[in-house]
Amino acid sequence: MRMRATLGVVTGALALSAFAVPAAQADEVHGDTAISNVVVNGGKPVVVGATAKKTITVSFTVKDASGVDWAQAILYHGANIDTADSGAVANSSDGRATCTVVNATTKTCKSTFDMKPAYNLINSVAGGWKVWAVATGKDADYVQKDNAKSFQVQRLSKLTVNAAPEPVKKGKTITVTGALTRANWDAAKYSGYGTQSVKLQFKKKGASAYTTVKTIKTSSTGALKTTVTASVDGTFRYSFAGTSTTPAVNATGDYVDVQ
């Protein structure tokens, strides 16, 4: 296997440190070594807040008729690993996965990775990421996959709501305000998410589910404001469906007593 070693630590968003990858960008297979069942973060998107790192697990299965020697996975953002603009290397001392024997031909492998705002996460790399993976058999067979699995890395979102006045007379106007914000990895804080469609929902007192009243858009700063007519007691909330870079979120409901 032709390998090129990349040594040293690249700080900031381009953190792909101390790993070795084949020079070719396309998948390579030599012999019967196979990688399958790749799962990132339990199958859920990786959602990261404004400042705290998030440690995630990647698991996969490796098979080879002669037995499995070793395996490695790297997470990256970009068209392929050679042109990646950010990434993460497994937290083991040599970057390799920890593999457990299933039988003579199969191992299950796991690696943990740190996703860190302002280190390997900046706002521009939110969205689709990929898993690069390589595994070798004891007979020197190997497989290398440029995209063994795709997954989402998202900026944690927050949503608030306030319905006023409380209490309110039936037939009067209720003003419902709020704000949609999300992690700003570049600035280490939460910033408004502008021009996004958000649903105003209402749950009548005694009901079990919310219904949508109307859909409005956030301002350029993420602010929300609309009005409704008071009719019956119940709870208002805003609901955001999410995007590829930002997860869905519901505001904690605000109860209004209509008199």
Side-chain angles (χ1 to χ4, degrees):
M1 178 165 45
R2 294 180 295 113
M3 304 289 284
R4 60 172 168 76
T6 302
L7 302 176
V9 176
V10 183
T11 60
L14 306 180
L16 279 173
S17 61
F19 64 90
V21 297
Q25 295 177 8
D27 291 357
E28 293 185 26
V29 181
H30 182 272
D32 65 348
T33 312
I35 295 172
S36 62
N37 303 324
V38 182
V39 178
V40 180
N41 195 38
K44 300 177 181 179
V46 179
V47 180
V48 185
T51 58
K53 76 176 181 181
K54 181 161 187 171
T55 300
I56 64 169
T57 298
V58 175
S59 62
F60 53 100
T61 301
V62 181
K63 293 186 177 183
D64 188 287
S66 68
V68 176
D69 189 9
W70 61 271
Q72 182 182 10
I74 296 170
L75 312 183
Y76 73 96
H77 177 271
N80 55 66
I81 198 166
D82 282 345
T83 60
D85 54 7
S86 190
V89 179
N91 292 337
S92 58
S93 60
D94 60 1
R96 293 186 181 185
T98 299
C99 297
T100 303
V101 174
V102 176
N103 54 45
T105 64
T106 306
K107 287 184 178 181
T108 55
C109 300
K110 290 185 178 181
S111 292
T112 59
F113 301 84
D114 289 335
M115 309 301 287
K116 302 178 184 179
Y119 180 72
N120 54 7
L121 295 179
I122 57 175
N123 294 340
S124 62
V125 302
W129 280 54
K130 299 171 184 175
V131 179
W132 177 93
V134 63
T136 67
K138 292 182 178 180
D139 57 357
D141 286 353
Y142 70 89
V143 59
Q144 176 254 306
K145 291 189 173 184
D146 196 60
N147 183 10
K149 187 74 174 182
S150 297
F151 64 101
Q152 297 297 118
V153 179
Q154 298 178 317
R155 299 161 62 180
L156 178 64
S157 53
K158 297 183 178 182
L159 187 57
T160 61
V161 67
N162 182 59
E166 304 173 52
V168 63
K169 290 185 178 181
K170 185 175 181 179
K172 295 295 185 179
T173 297
I174 297 173
T175 301
V176 187
T177 58
L180 175 64
T181 59
R182 61 176 177 166
N184 183 336
W185 295 330
D186 297 350
K189 65 180 183 178
Y190 286 84
S191 301
Y193 196 8
T195 63
Q196 299 300 307
S197 294
V198 177
K199 293 178 180 179
L200 174 65
Q201 298 183 324
F202 181 73
K203 182 172 66 174
K204 183 179 178 180
K205 182 179 180 181
S208 59
Y210 283 90
T211 59
T212 298
V213 177
K214 62 174 74 173
T215 300
I216 64 173
K217 283 195 172 183
T218 60
S219 71
S220 60
T221 61
L224 290 158
K225 184 176 182 179
T226 191
T227 59
V228 293
T229 301
S231 57
V232 295
D233 295 352
T235 303
F236 288 95
R237 76 175 184 185
Y238 281 118
S239 179
F240 174 59
T243 64
S244 62
T245 62
T246 310
V249 62
N250 294 319
T252 300
D254 187 16
Y255 183 80
V256 175
D257 178 18
V258 177
Q259 300 178 343

